[in-house]
């Protein structure tokens, strides 16, 4: 098989004719209002709605005309997006700064797919690990796997941070309705001692299984928490041997796992071509698989794969992640927008914004391009959000009437996971979904001074009550929140990030910006604790903070 080719990134995307055409189009659009865009184009809602796998994307409430998407897809072609998609799927080393393939899409590919990359039969390896995970999950769920004293496992503690935590915890929370509710799941990530203390306080070591999840198995937070939990367990059970029945590891680093004292038989591997923030569908999802079972986990993976197929094969103009990614570029680069709200209308998705913060901001928060030269555009979006309707009673005021433009993704579902009637005969989910639709309409169309006057609003209140509208949003809907649709939503966002990164010419798969803080934290540890700390080389502000801290700790 020939080595897949990585298309060259344009030296300066802003110098292309496609960029110039978009700049001109943006000037022409000016303050054109969504009210007028809809009034002038009766077919707009239908025309600007696309479907992919089970997801529907209504992007009609964006500040675009029917000319905008063709101009954006022309830009995508100038950035060689179609070739880059193919390069990613086929295993080219598109993570150039680390010289690695980027193959999270292979984690959910069927067993019989042919894909050899750098001499590795990728699907064979992926499914070998999935099969082992399935056997293990079955054994824990059935009670066949017991703890050191013969007790059945009743609690699972996942220790990890970043992608080794956010993916599993977000997906577990999202799919709780499908989980074995006799198993307690806990997630420990922070090196703040309160995190581990709270997680363990009511657990019985004899019936607790610990999954240490770390791609590198060198992460300070994870190894520290793992050591603390190991002591908690060994102290309670009085035997080092207990570790073998209560600790398993998920990692790419077999050597470090065995140095920690976890047997290779209790390790589930993955590969350097899986980025941490793209790893929930690898063995990093083991805690989720134990919670929901291997069959549901397979549905989760099938959902990812359905979106992967759509992304790889649908024309750019009908391709959900392409449309959404290009719209993000449209606002970031042509409207100077800084932030992006993600507003899931599902309480089960309450950790999705945090998950997407890592996915989007660790991937695309870059100032140099993949070729090492400075970027020529703004990059990255500041992702944030909360589930509806809680957000409505907190920060939506700014979305509706503030001075900043904040494009938003509203995510909703047709069928609820719980049908709960209210005593007046209404269905809670109908009320909930009415709120979602109401918010996107209010943002887009607002309320004019004339409308308020016609309703008899006192003149002095009119300026306060005017809703300017023209605030863009996407509505992303799925028939129901299931393992499959969750997989589709995650894959959708993974590919949105890829589309943006391709336009900006950056490597969305490295994260060098987190390294300096880690090094400094290791250096500062002894400065906080040593009898005679060496503060040479530290800045005056840090020295003062260290002094105050040491005084509080009586040092
Ligand atoms: O510090 C950032 C990071 O490297 C993330 O990219 C990653 O998800 C996280 O740390 C955890 O890393 P690991 O899985 O190697 O412990």
């Amino acid at each position: 098989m020939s080595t897949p080719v990585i298309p060259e990134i344009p030296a300066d995307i802003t110098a292309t004719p496609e960029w110039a055409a978009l700049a001109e189009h943006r000037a022409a659009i000016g303050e054109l209002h969504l009210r007028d865009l809809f009034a002038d184009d009766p077919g707009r809602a239908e025309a600007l709605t696309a479907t992919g796998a089970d997801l529907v994307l209504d992007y009609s409430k964006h500040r675009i005309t029917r000319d905008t998407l063709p101009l954006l897809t022309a830009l995508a072609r100038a950035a060689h997006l179609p070739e880059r998609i193919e390069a990613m799927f086929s295993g080219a080393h598109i993570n150039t700064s680390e010289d690695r393939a980027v193959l999270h899409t292979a984690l959910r590919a069927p067993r019989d797919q042919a894909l050899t990359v750098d001499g590795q039969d990728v699907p064979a390896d992926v499914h070998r690990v999935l099969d082992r995970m399935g056997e293990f999950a079955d054994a824990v769920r059935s009670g066949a796997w017991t703890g050191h004293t013969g007790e059945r496992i009743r609690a699972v503690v996942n220790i990890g941070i970043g992608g080794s935590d956010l993916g599993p915890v977000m997906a577990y929370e999202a799919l709780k309705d499908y989980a074995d509710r006799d198993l307690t799941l806990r997630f420990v990530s922070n090196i703040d001692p309160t995190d581990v203390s709270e997680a363990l306080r009511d657990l019985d070591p004899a019936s607790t299984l610990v999954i240490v999840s770390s791609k590198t198995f060198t992460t300070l937070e994870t190894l520290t928490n793992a050591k603390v939990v190991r002591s908690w367990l060994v102290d309670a059970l009085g035997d080092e041997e207990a570790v073998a029945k209560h600790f398993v590891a998920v990692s790419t680093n077999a050597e470090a796992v065995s140095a920690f004292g976890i047997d290779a038989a209790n390790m589930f591997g993955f590969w350097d071509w899986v980025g941490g923030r793209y790893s929930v569908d690898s063995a990093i999802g083991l805690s989720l698989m134990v919670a929901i079972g291997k069959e549901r986990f397979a549905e989760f993976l099938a959902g990812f794969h359905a979106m992967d197929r759509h992304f790889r094969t649908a024309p750019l103009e009908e391709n959900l992640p392409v449309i959404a990614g290009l719209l993000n570029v449209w606002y970031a680069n042509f409207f100077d927008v800084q932030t992006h709200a993600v507003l899931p209308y599902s309480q089960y998705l309450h950790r999705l914004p945090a998950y997407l913060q890592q996915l989007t901001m660790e991937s695309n928060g870059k100032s140099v391009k993949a070729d090492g030269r400075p970027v020529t555009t703004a990059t990255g979006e500041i992702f944030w959000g909360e589930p509806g309707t809680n957000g409505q009673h907190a920060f939506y005021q700014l979305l509706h009437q503030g001075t900043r433009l904040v494009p938003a993704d509203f995510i909703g579902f047709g069928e609820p996971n719980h049908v709960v009637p209210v005593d007046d005969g209404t269905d809670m989910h109908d009320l909930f979904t009415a709120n979602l639709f109401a918010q996107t309409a209010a943002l887009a169309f607002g309320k004019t001074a004339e409308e308020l006057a016609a309703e008899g609003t006192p003149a002095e209140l009119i300026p306060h009550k005017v809703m300017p509208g023209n605030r863009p949003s996407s509505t992303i809907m799925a028939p129901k929140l299931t393992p499959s649709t969750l997989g589709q939503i995650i894959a959708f966002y993974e590919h949105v990030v890829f589309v943006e990164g391709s336009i900006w010419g950056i490597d969305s798969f490295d994260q060098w910006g987190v390294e300096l803080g880690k090094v400094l934290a290791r250096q500062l540890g002894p400065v906080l604790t040593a009898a005679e700390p060496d503060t040479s080389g530290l800045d005056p502000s840090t020295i003062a903070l260290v002094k105050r801290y040491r005084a509080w700790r009586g040092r």
Side-chain angles (χ1 to χ4, degrees):
M1 206 191 200
S2 60
T3 320
V5 181
I6 309 174
E8 216 172 286
I9 54 173
D12 179 0
I13 191 74
T14 67
T16 59
E18 291 80 4
W19 190 278
L22 276 160
E24 203 179 302
H25 179 61
R26 164 69 185 104
I29 281 191
E31 291 307 303
L32 203 57
H33 203 286
L34 279 163
R35 277 195 291 262
D36 301 318
L37 288 167
F38 272 88
D40 295 346
D41 181 358
R44 179 180 171 94
E46 204 181 322
L48 303 187
T49 294
T51 54
D54 296 319
L55 302 190
V56 178
L57 169 68
D58 175 351
Y59 61 100
S60 63
K61 294 195 188 83
H62 279 286
R63 292 175 61 174
I64 57 174
T65 67
R66 292 221 195 183
D67 295 331
T68 314
L69 190 58
L71 291 168
L72 285 167
T73 51
L75 182 72
R77 289 192 177 88
H80 307 293
L81 178 65
E83 299 89 328
R84 285 184 54 79
I85 293 174
E86 218 31 57
M88 174 172 72
F89 275 92
S90 54
H93 286 207
I94 60 168
N95 177 354
T96 45
S97 79
E98 295 178 314
D99 191 17
R100 287 176 185 165
V102 173
L103 276 173
H104 45 277
T105 52
L107 295 168
R108 52 264 191 158
R111 199 180 283 273
D112 58 4
Q113 180 162 314
L115 181 64
T116 302
V117 175
D118 302 329
Q120 181 185 11
D121 180 346
V122 173
D125 282 354
V126 165
H127 283 273
R128 198 170 303 124
V129 175
L130 276 173
D131 290 344
R132 282 190 56 227
M133 289 166 64
E135 281 165 28
F136 177 74
D138 279 351
V140 174
R141 287 164 64 83
S142 68
W145 179 289
T146 55
H148 184 62
T149 60
E151 272 207 51
R152 183 184 180 130
I153 298 299
R154 301 198 184 279
V156 176
V157 178
N158 183 80
I159 303 175
I161 197 164
S164 301
D165 167 73
L166 285 165
V169 71
M170 179 277 285
Y172 168 69
E173 289 293 328
L175 299 177
K176 247 187 188 160
D177 195 30
Y178 302 88
D180 176 347
R181 304 306 279 265
D182 290 332
L183 275 173
T184 298
L185 267 278
R186 296 274 161 82
F187 296 85
V188 177
S189 53
N190 205 327
I191 199 164
D192 178 347
T194 55
D195 201 12
V196 68
S197 307
E198 286 294 335
L200 299 183
R201 62 185 292 276
D202 55 352
L203 297 188
D204 174 6
S207 57
T208 298
L209 173 78
V210 182
I211 303 178
V212 187
S213 298
S214 174
K215 177 176 172 180
T216 55
F217 227 80
T218 58
T219 305
L220 179 69
E221 291 88 340
T222 301
L223 292 191
T224 306
N225 278 315
K227 283 184 208 156
V228 168
V229 178
R230 185 173 58 187
S231 302
W232 168 80
L233 184 107
V234 171
D235 289 353
L237 301 183
D239 190 352
E240 269 293 330
E241 299 285 302
V243 170
K245 296 303 298 253
H246 291 268
F247 269 74
V248 300
V250 179
S251 187
T252 58
N253 186 348
E255 225 171 277
V257 168
S258 104
F260 182 84
I262 298 178
D263 199 278
N266 291 343
M267 171 179 155
F268 299 85
F270 60 113
W271 307 273
D272 68 358
W273 40 258
V274 182
R277 53 197 176 272
Y278 298 86
S279 66
V280 62
D281 48 342
S282 72
I284 289 290
L286 185 62
S287 53
L288 174 68
M289 189 195 267
V290 171
I292 64 173
K294 67 177 185 215
E295 295 79 11
R296 296 289 197 191
F297 195 81
E299 290 168 26
F300 179 55
L301 297 187
F304 278 91
H305 183 62
M307 184 50 65
D308 292 344
R309 272 202 318 265
H310 169 78
F311 182 54
R312 193 176 187 178
T313 59
L316 298 187
E317 294 71 16
E318 295 163 27
N319 193 310
L320 267 60
V322 172
I323 296 168
L326 291 175
L327 286 170
N328 293 350
V329 169
W330 175 237
Y331 292 113
N333 297 139
F334 296 92
F335 286 73
D336 206 14
V337 146
Q338 308 279 324
T339 84
H340 187 119
V342 56
L343 309 166
Y345 277 64
S346 164
Q347 189 60 29
Y348 280 131
L349 290 180
H350 70 109
R351 293 295 282 159
L352 184 68
Y355 173 81
L356 291 181
Q357 278 177 341
Q358 188 200 14
L359 180 65
T360 60
M361 291 161 76
E362 201 171 71
S363 295
N364 284 345
K366 311 279 165 69
S367 307
V368 291
K369 293 189 288 149
D371 60 13
R373 285 180 290 182
V375 294
T376 53
T377 62
T379 64
E381 297 168 281
I382 300 160
F383 249 76
W384 60 282
E386 272 289 312
T389 54
N390 298 3
Q392 289 175 207
H393 293 271
F395 53 77
Y396 279 35
Q397 164 66 36
L398 183 147
L399 301 188
H400 286 292
Q401 287 187 316
T403 56
R404 296 169 196 282
L405 191 65
V406 184
D409 291 353
F410 286 79
I411 302 173
F413 298 91
E415 227 187 291
N417 291 84
H418 302 275
V419 179
V420 181
V422 188
D423 60 8
D424 62 3
T426 49
D427 174 301
M428 278 186 92
H429 188 68
D430 294 339
L431 283 176
F432 190 36
T433 308
N435 270 276
L436 186 170
F437 296 157
Q439 291 299 325
T440 63
L443 284 167
F445 306 115
K447 191 146 198 173
T448 61
E450 295 73 38
E451 286 166 338
L452 287 162
E455 286 173 3
T457 308
E460 68 279 12
L461 270 187
I462 288 183
H464 297 283
K465 295 186 90 172
V466 164
M467 301 283 280
N470 216 16
R471 306 201 165 205
S473 67
S474 292
T475 306
I476 300 157
M477 300 284 298
K480 186 177 178 183
L481 177 59
T482 63
S484 169
T485 56
L486 179 67
Q488 293 175 39
I489 291 168
I490 300 172
F492 165 78
Y493 279 107
E494 288 175 349
H495 300 322
V496 165
V497 166
F498 182 74
V499 170
E500 296 173 358
S502 296
I503 302 295
W504 292 327
I506 58 184
D507 181 345
S508 301
F509 303 100
D510 61 15
Q511 59 284 321
W512 297 105
V514 299
E515 294 308 321
L516 178 60
K518 292 183 191 175
V519 172
L520 294 181
R522 282 192 193 273
Q523 285 169 2
L524 278 167
V527 181
L528 299 186
T529 54
E532 282 176 27
D534 175 10
T535 56
S536 57
L538 294 183
D539 65 89
S541 162
T542 307
I543 291 173
L545 289 167
V546 165
K547 249 193 197 158
R548 191 180 300 273
Y549 177 82
R550 287 179 60 99
W552 277 334
R553 298 300 309 268
R555 293 178 190 141

